[in-house]
């Protein structure tokens, strides 16, 4: 039995041919779940796909009214007394007048009287509105409200069918179910590998997990915003622009809770343009992303909405390789380490392919409205306990790390194993996937945040075997990092700490014809200038013993401090600068994946490096394999975790001469 046949047999009227949907949605600007509802009305009539399309188009031509045609609606009500249209009806409560007042989203009509009957029957009208067939009639009893709703027939499912859905899951293997989910979001599972399919499911976690904070940055045309705009009536996509506290959180004038109290998901598109007009906005967002509540008007207000940020980023792997900021697309006011630390998952949008015509599904998938209602109901459950049955997270992980990982695992289990029937091996796949997404957030915090973000190991233990395993980013496993690229003559990597932050630095020194002078380009700090001056003077004073007198005094040496994070360098760059000069003297590059720590005085005395453990952890994560450190730091290594020694070769040097001999294998 094919997957399509099994899906039809198990789900019957709850599935629809996605190929028909894709044929219609390109020319009709309606939410997918509305189109699928209409298609489902003809799916069991024995009609061909083309015939179904024609039937749906006929209904839309008759009942779907565009905003520019709203006068036609008024004219029909005036002339015929009524009209039936397809639109989204949103109802507000007017307590002063003791009545319900409706607004039609597409037609742009307001002040529509709505009878209590429809509100009692369909609570969704008050909770963000519902799409349906709306019969508008002339209200002869009021000039203030001349239009009223005579009948409302929803095009959204409002029944509770989650237990039946869970039962249906048992009829499929994991891979069959995964492909059904991919078909259900309108994509062709045959075009994607397993990892890409999991990434696509990550976009669904905010729909089924409360207060889940997700960011996805990547190339254009990869479908980042689709699931938030088209898939679910419980989700709202906010176009880039000013985000007000009143709209998002609480309107003091109206005494109304904002979007976070209404929707399951609030997603910001084109995040580069999202800014708060109110300085309280970023702080309130930060608090909400942490705890799911916020303070306003002497009240503490709760919301369940997940927060999603999607946007474009160019050359992300180049940014990663150069030690840059993968959150740079966000507005500056949203780039604080405290706010970034609230993200549960950084979805690497650069791994998602650009959508092509044959990437869209032509097979059966669950009707979006049915599926989105299931996701909505799954928000009431937590599946993270299954993680505890098999695995223990490392104690070095912060509470935010642990929370993020558990919520991601819970979300993946809800999507792939709503019946909780998952093997330990499957849970391990989801655990590593969850840890990776949170680790991507943590790595960025290490690059631009304080030392508080170091000392964390993304590791877990299997309860059955007592074996531990470290998790790394795909970017790291692939050898992509800021310290893995081959080095040219005069190039040296180092790492410094400044103002309680970690900064990767690359020293590049070259020369031209001259008379023994040196220059520093870029924007070096006063400390960096002084350090280079001292080391250069040490070399100058010892040039004869080093055998470099002619090379030194026949050239002018130009040094650039490459520092993506703008630290300007400090006194800790001394040993790296010294080696960059030696590299030029002997015309030999340093081996790739090598880092030099420490500094020296004008007399050549070594200065030990600070925050050694944090630096070593950072260097390992950037892909380096060898590090040279001053002998005076040797006592600091005695208390380091054993796993550090297995990941990087640590070599000590006792003097400047000893350093150059060991690095370049000189006699």
């Amino acid at each position: 039995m094919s997957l399509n046949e099994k899906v039809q047999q198990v789900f019957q009227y709850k599935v629809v041919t996605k190929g028909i949907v894709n044929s219609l949605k390109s020319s009709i600007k309606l939410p997918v779940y509305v189109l699928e509802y209409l298609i489902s009305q003809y799916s069991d009539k024995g009609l061909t796909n083309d015939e179904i399309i024609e039937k749906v188009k006929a209904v839309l031509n008759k009942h779907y009214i565009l905003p520019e045609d709203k006068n036609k609606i008024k004219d029909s009500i005036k002339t015929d007394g009524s009209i039936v249209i397809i639109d989204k009806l949103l109802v507000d409560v007017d307590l002063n007048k003791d009545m319900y007042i409706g607004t039609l989203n597409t037609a742009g009509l307001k002040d529509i009287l709505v009878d209590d009957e429809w509100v009692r029957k369909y609570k969704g009208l008050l909770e963000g509105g519902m799409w349906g067939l709306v019969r508008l009639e002339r209200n002869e009893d009021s000039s203030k409200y001349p239009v009223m709703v005579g009948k409302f027939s929803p095009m959204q499912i409002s029944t509770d069918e989650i237990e039946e859905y869970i039962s249906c899951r048992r009829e499929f293997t994991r891979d069959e179910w995964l492909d059904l989910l991919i078909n259900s979001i309108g994509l062709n599972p045959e075009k994607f590998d397993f990892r890409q399919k999991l990434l696509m499911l990550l976009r669904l976690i905010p729909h089924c997990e409360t207060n889940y904070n997700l960011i996805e940055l990547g190339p254009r045309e990869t479908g980042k915003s689709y699931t938030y705009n088209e898939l679910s009536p419980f989700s709202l996509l906010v176009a880039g622009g000013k985000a007000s506290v009143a709209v998002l959180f609480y309107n003091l004038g109206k005494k109304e809770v904002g979007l976070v109290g209404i929707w399951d998901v609030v997603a910001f598109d084109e995040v580069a343009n999202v800014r708060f007009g109110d300085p309280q906005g970023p702080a309130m967002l930060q608090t909400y992303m942490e705890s799911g509540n916020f303070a306003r008007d002497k009240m503490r207000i709760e919301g369940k909405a997940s927060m999603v940020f999607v946007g474009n980023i160019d050359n992300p792997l180049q940014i990663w390789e150069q030690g840059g900021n993968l959150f740079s697309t966000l507005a500056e006011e949203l780039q604080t380490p405290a706010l970034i630390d609230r993200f549960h998952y950084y979805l690497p949008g650069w791994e998602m392919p650009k959508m092509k015509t044959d990437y869209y599904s032509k097979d059966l998938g669950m009707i979006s409205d049915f599926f989105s209602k299931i996701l909505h109901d799954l928000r009431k459950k937590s599946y993270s306990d299954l993680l505890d049955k098999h695995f223990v997270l490392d104690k070095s992980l912060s509470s935010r790390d642990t929370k993020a990982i558990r919520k991601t695992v819970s979300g993946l289990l809800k999507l792939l194993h709503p019946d909780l029937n998952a093997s330990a091996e499957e849970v391990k796949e989801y655990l590593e996937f969850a840890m990776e997404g949170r680790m991507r957030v943590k790595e960025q915090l290490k690059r631009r945040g304080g030392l508080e973000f170091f000392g964390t190991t993304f590791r877990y233990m299997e309860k059955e075997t007592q074996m531990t395993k470290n998790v790394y980013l795909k970017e790291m496993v692939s050898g992509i990092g800021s310290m893995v690229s081959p080095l040219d003559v005069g190039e040296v990597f180092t790492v410094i700490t400044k103002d309680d932050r970690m900064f990767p630095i690359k020293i590049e020194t070259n020369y031209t014809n001259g008379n023994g002078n040196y220059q520093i380009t870029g924007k070096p700090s006063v400390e960096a200038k002084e350090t280079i001056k001292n080391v250069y003077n040490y070399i100058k004073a010892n040039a004869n013993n080093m055998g470099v007198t002619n090379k030194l005094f026949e050239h002018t040496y130009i040094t650039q401090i490459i520092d993506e994070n703008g630290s300007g360098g400090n006194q800790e760059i001394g040993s790296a600068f010294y080696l960059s000069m030696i590299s030029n003297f002997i015309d030999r590059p340093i081996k790739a994946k090598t880092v030099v720590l420490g500094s020296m005085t004008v007399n050549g005395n070594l200065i030990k490096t600070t925050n050694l453990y944090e630096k070593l952890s950072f260097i390992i994560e950037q892909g380096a394999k060898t590090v040279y450190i001053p002998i005076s730091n040797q006592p600091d290594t005695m208390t380091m975790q054993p796993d550090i020694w297995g990941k990087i070769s640590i070599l000590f040097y006792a003097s400047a001469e000893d350093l150059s001999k060991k690095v370049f294998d000189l006699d």
Side-chain angles (χ1 to χ4, degrees), residues 593-597 616 619 625-629 648-652:
K593 303 182 182 180
T594 298
V595 179
V596 178
L597 299 178
L616 290 177
I619 289 166
K625 296 300 181 184
T626 304
V627 61
Y628 292 87
I629 62 177
I648 194 166
S649 176
I650 301 174
L651 302 175
F652 299 99

Side-chain angles (χ1 to χ4, degrees), residues 519-536:
Q519 299 174 10
I520 309 173
T521 64
K523 297 180 178 179
S525 67
V526 173
E527 293 172 292
K529 288 180 180 179
E530 189 67 21
T531 299
I532 289 176
K533 175 185 174 182
N534 289 339
V535 174
Y536 191 85

Side-chain angles (χ1 to χ4, degrees), residues 103-277:
T103 301
L104 289 174
N105 186 59
T106 303
L109 294 178
K110 300 179 180 179
D111 297 329
I112 303 168
L113 193 62
V114 182
D115 191 87
D116 295 18
E117 172 190 355
W118 310 116
V119 177
R120 287 196 302 270
K121 200 170 183 180
Y122 306 112
K123 292 295 185 183
L125 293 172
L126 293 171
E127 300 168 352
M130 296 181 70
W131 279 88
L133 276 170
V134 187
R135 180 182 177 87
L136 299 175
E137 298 178 352
R138 182 89 180 246
N139 181 14
E140 303 288 354
D141 299 329
S142 173
S143 58
K144 172 71 174 174
Y145 302 102
V147 180
M148 59 185 286
V149 174
K151 185 177 181 181
F152 179 76
S153 301
M155 290 180 171
Q156 297 175 211
I157 297 170
S158 56
T159 57
D160 186 359
E161 301 187 66
I162 190 167
E163 295 306 322
E164 182 182 347
Y165 171 85
I166 291 173
S167 177
C168 289
R169 166 64 181 93
R170 301 185 182 105
E171 302 297 322
F172 298 85
T173 66
R174 196 273 300 269
D175 289 343
E176 286 176 337
W177 187 256
L178 174 57
D179 285 354
L180 171 57
L181 294 180
I182 299 301
N183 273 316
S184 296
I185 59 176
L187 297 174
N188 181 356
E190 295 178 2
K191 298 297 180 180
F192 310 104
D193 59 31
F194 179 73
R195 178 177 172 84
Q196 288 173 325
K197 291 176 186 178
L198 279 190
L199 288 173
M200 289 170 182
L201 291 195
L202 250 298
R203 293 170 172 171
L204 297 179
I205 291 182
H207 295 275
C208 66
E209 192 76 19
T210 60
N211 300 108
Y212 189 80
N213 306 321
L214 173 69
I215 184 166
E216 177 181 356
L217 302 177
R220 295 158 181 81
E221 300 176 17
T222 54
K224 293 185 289 291
S225 61
Y226 172 79
T227 58
Y228 314 112
N229 192 39
E230 300 281 356
L231 178 70
S232 171
F234 302 102
S235 174
L236 179 69
L237 183 70
V238 180
K242 186 176 290 186
S244 75
V245 170
V247 171
L248 189 58
F249 296 109
Y250 191 80
N251 189 314
L252 289 172
K254 295 183 178 180
K255 304 294 183 183
E256 290 179 350
V257 178
L259 301 178
V260 297
I262 298 173
W263 300 91
D264 285 359
V265 183
V266 177
F268 291 95
D269 197 9
E270 303 295 342
V271 293
N273 301 318
V274 175
R275 288 170 175 79
F276 281 90

Side-chain angles (χ1 to χ4, degrees), residues 15-25 32 36 39 180-187 226 231 360-369 371:
V15 292
V16 67
T17 302
K18 295 291 178 171
I20 301 177
V21 181
N22 291 327
S23 297
L24 284 168
K25 74 177 185 180
V32 165
E36 290 181 352
I39 293 168
L180 171 57
L181 294 180
I182 299 301
N183 273 316
S184 296
I185 59 176
L187 297 174
Y226 172 79
L231 178 70
Y360 294 102
S361 173
K362 293 181 173 61
D363 294 328
L364 289 175
M366 286 177 274
I367 293 175
S368 295
D369 190 49
F371 184 44

Side-chain angles (χ1 to χ4, degrees), residues 390-391 428 460-469:
H390 302 291
F391 304 100
K428 180 163 74 172
Y460 65 87
M461 183 187 74
E462 296 185 32
K463 284 187 174 181
E464 184 177 352
T465 64
Q466 297 293 296
M467 296 289 289
T468 61
K469 182 177 179 181

Side-chain angles (χ1 to χ4, degrees), residues 409 427-437 460 469 471:
V409 171
V427 176
K428 180 163 74 172
E429 283 182 310
Y430 311 146
L431 171 58
E432 293 183 3
F433 203 67
M435 295 181 82
E436 180 189 325
Y460 65 87
K469 182 177 179 181
V471 174

